[in-house]
Amino acid sequence: MAELEKPTRVEIKQLDELTIGKIAAGEVVERPAQVVKELVENAFDAGASRVRIEIERGGFDRITVIDDGHGIPSEELGLAITRHATSKLSGPDDLNQIETKGFRGEALASIGAVSELTVSSRIGEGEGAQIRVDNGIVSEVEAAGIAPGTRIDVLNLFAKVPARLSFQRRPSTETAAIVDVGVQSALSEPSAGVIVEIDGRKVLDCPPSESAEDRLYDLFGATSAELIPLAASAADADAPGEERWTGWISPPGLTRSRSDDIHILVNGRPVAPGPFLQAVRRGYHTRLMVGRHPMGVLTLTLPPNEVDVNVHPTKREVRLKNSWRVLERLERSIKHTLSHIATIPEASEATVLEGISERAESTKPASRPPAKLPEWASAASESPTVQTRFSSARTAAEVQPRETKRPESELITEQNTLPGMDAEPIAPSLSSEERELHRHAVGESTSPLDEPAPEAAALPDLSEMIPLAQLADSYILAEGGDELFIIDQHALHERIRYQRLRQQMVSWNGQNLVSPVTISIGARQKAAAVAGQPKLSELGIEFEVVDEGLEVTSVPEVLVGKDGLEEFLQDILIEFASAPDGTSEFDAVTALRDHVAFMRSCRGAVKANERLNLAQMRRLLEDMRTVPNPWACVHGRPTVLRLTIDHLDKHFGRHG
Ligand code: ADP
Ligand code: MG
C-alpha cells in the first residue's frame, strides 16, 4: 500500500489585498440579485429620485443601475471601489444609529473583485468621470460623458470565478429575484421612480409617486384596491414600546399560493419576511385556508438603536431588541384590522373552477393537512390502500352522506351486529366542501352502461363479482369469491369516473378567446410571465404584456368561459417565479386537473336513491376491477363493506 503523503508545512503569510478582496466578495455578492440590491441602496443613499435597473441574462451578462443622485467626485472614485471605504460611517458609535442603507463600504469593492465593473459619475454640471475594475485590477480614472448622477455597469459577473458560477441559479430564477429587489426598493422609497428593464423589456415602471397607494397600484395592479390599511386598536397606543406597525394587508378572501407577496420593511429597509410570517398568520387566525397566504406590505418603525442591521453582510436580516413584543404587536394589529372585515359567504353557484376560487375565499377553520392539493385530491392519491374494515350496518348507514328519502335503518341491537365489528364509524364524515359539492352535483347522472369502456385491464387482486340485488336504491349487494360486498354505488361510480377523467385531463390545448381577457397582475408576476412564456404556452396560455397586466388571448380548454381564470393564472405565475429549477409540474396545474376531474366525476356519477338494473350494476362491478384503488372513494372514505364467508360462519357458529 502506498504511503499517504503528508502535506508539507507552509509558513503563515499575510494575504495580499487582491486575494482578501476575492474572499470577502463571496459574502456580499453571492448572486446577481444581491449586486442589484447593493447598487440600488447606494442610489437611494445618494438621494436619487429616479433609479433605473437594466438586466441582461439574469444579470450574469450585464447589470446596469443608473441614478440621478448626488454623484461621486472624480477624486473619490478610487476610494469608492476600495474595501472598507464609505462616506456613511465615521466611527464605531455610528453603527448604533444607522440611517443610511449602506454602511459597510464593501459593495463596490466586492463587485469589482468578481466582474468587470465601471463606476461613472458626474456631480451637477461638472465633468463626468469613470473608473474601471476588471476582476480586482483597477484602472486609472478617466473622463466620461454621462448625465448628472451615477451609473454603475457590472459585466460578466462571476465569469472568472468558475466555482461561484457553477452554484448559480438559472437566469430566469435570478431575473425573478431581481424583479423582487425592484419591487422591494419601490416599496421602501415610494417617492422615488423605479424602472426595471429585463433583456430590453420594461417589466416594472413605478413613476415617482405622491402617495403610497399609488405605489401599491404600480406594484400590485388593481388588486391593490382590495388591500386594507393596517389599523391598531386605540388601546395599543398605550402598550409599552415605541415600535409602530403600519401598512396594508389583504382581506381574508384575497390570498396567494405562496407567501412571496408579504413584504416587511424595518425602518424603511426591506428585510427577509421569514421571522414575521408566523405572527402574520396568527393575526389571520382561522380566517386563512391552510396552504394559502395573505398579501401585505408591513412597515415597522422603531428607534434606530432598537434594531441591529449589522448582523448579516447582505443586511436582509436584522436583529430586533424586543422582537417578541414587536411580533405580538403585529399580530394584534392584524387581528384588530380584520375584526372589521365581514366573513365572505360561501359561493353558492357551482362552477367548474369554484373549488379553486372558493378555497381562496372560504374562511372555514383550517382542519385539513397542509397539502397543496385540495384534501379530496390528496386523499385519493395518497392513500392507495385504504382498506375497508368491518363496521356495523348501523355505522355504514351513518356514513351515508346524502340526505336520504329512503327509510333509515333502525338501530340494531348489539347482539345482531357481526362479531369483530367496530362500534365506531370508520369513515370520516363529509367535509363541508364535499357536502357543498354534492349538494350542487345535481343534473343528469350517466348510466354506467353509457360510459366508455375502461382502458385498463382488470387488476388481478379483485375477484369477479356478480350483482345480487340493490339495497334501498343506494347500495349494490354483490358476491365475489367467498365474500359478500356491500357497495356505495355513488362513491364507486365517482371513483371510477375520477380515475378515467384524470387520465384524460392531460390535454392542455389552448383555445383562442373571442375577446382577450385582461388580467390585472403585479410587477413580479408580469416578469414571471415574460420569463415563463414557453411554459405557459405549453399549458395553452398565450398573452401579450400590457400596461394593466396581461392580455390573455388563449387559455386551456378547461378554463374557457369559467370564473377563476385570474386566480389560476395568479397562482401559476407565483409558482413560476419561485419554483425551484427544473420543476416541470406545478401545483396549480395539478390542483386544477384534479379539481376538474373531481367535479366531473361527482356530477355524472349515479346518485344514491337511484334505481339501477342488473346490467348497470354488472358494469359498475366490472369497471371497479380496473381501478387501482376501488376501496376508497375520491374523498378517501370507503366504497365497500366486505363480509367474508369466514365472518359469517363465525357469526352463525359454524366454526368450532
Ligand atoms: P457603502 O454603501 O457601504 O458605503 P459601497 O461600496 O456600496 O459602500 O459604496 C462606497 C461609497 O461609494 C459609498 O459610501 C458612497 O460614498 C459612494 N457611492 C457608491 N455608489 C454611489 C452612488 N450611486 N451615488 C453616489 N455615491 C455612491
Ligand atoms: Mg453600498
Side-chain angles (χ1 to χ4, degrees), residues 17-19 21-22 25 61 77 81-82 108-119 130-142 153-161:
E17 271 304 309
L18 192 62
T19 315
K22 295 215 173 192
D61 285 0
L77 280 176
I81 50 112
T82 307
L108 291 182
S110 299
I111 296 164
V114 291
S115 72
E116 293 155 43
L117 167 74
T118 307
V119 180
Q130 68 179 35
I131 192 165
R132 282 173 203 274
V133 188
D134 184 349
N135 288 283
I137 313 295
V138 183
S139 308
E140 293 291 303
V141 174
E142 51 193 62
D153 289 284
V154 179
L155 304 185
N156 302 319
L157 182 66
F158 304 138
K160 298 265 171 66
V161 196

Side-chain angles (χ1 to χ4, degrees), residues 219-262:
L219 293 172
F220 302 116
T223 306
S224 64
E226 293 177 55
L227 300 178
I228 28 183
L230 190 72
S233 72
D236 229 70
D238 301 330
E242 283 178 71
E243 68 276 358
R244 291 291 174 267
W245 283 99
T246 53
W248 287 265
I249 56 172
S250 56
L254 177 64
T255 60
R256 295 285 183 251
S257 59
R258 312 245 162 154
S259 59
D260 306 19
D261 264 327
I262 299 176

Side-chain angles (χ1 to χ4, degrees), residues 6-26:
K6 283 211 184 107
T8 45
R9 203 193 94 82
V10 179
E11 71 201 83
I12 301 171
K13 286 188 295 263
Q14 176 72 46
L15 288 176
D16 60 273
E17 271 304 309
L18 192 62
T19 315
I20 295 177
K22 295 215 173 192
I23 293 171

Side-chain angles (χ1 to χ4, degrees), residues 38-48 65 67 69-73 76-77 79-89 100-111 119-121 149-152 315:
E38 291 291 337
L39 298 182
V40 173
E41 286 184 356
N42 281 347
F44 285 146
D45 281 345
V65 175
D67 68 60
H70 57 51
I72 310 169
E76 284 183 27
L77 280 176
L79 268 179
I81 50 112
T82 307
R83 233 155 37 87
H84 305 311
T86 176
S87 56
K88 302 168 194 176
L89 276 187
T100 51
K101 300 201 190 276
F103 55 86
R104 298 168 64 108
E106 285 181 321
L108 291 182
S110 299
I111 296 164
V119 180
S120 325
S121 202
T150 303
R151 170 183 175 125
I152 313 277
K315 297 166 260 152

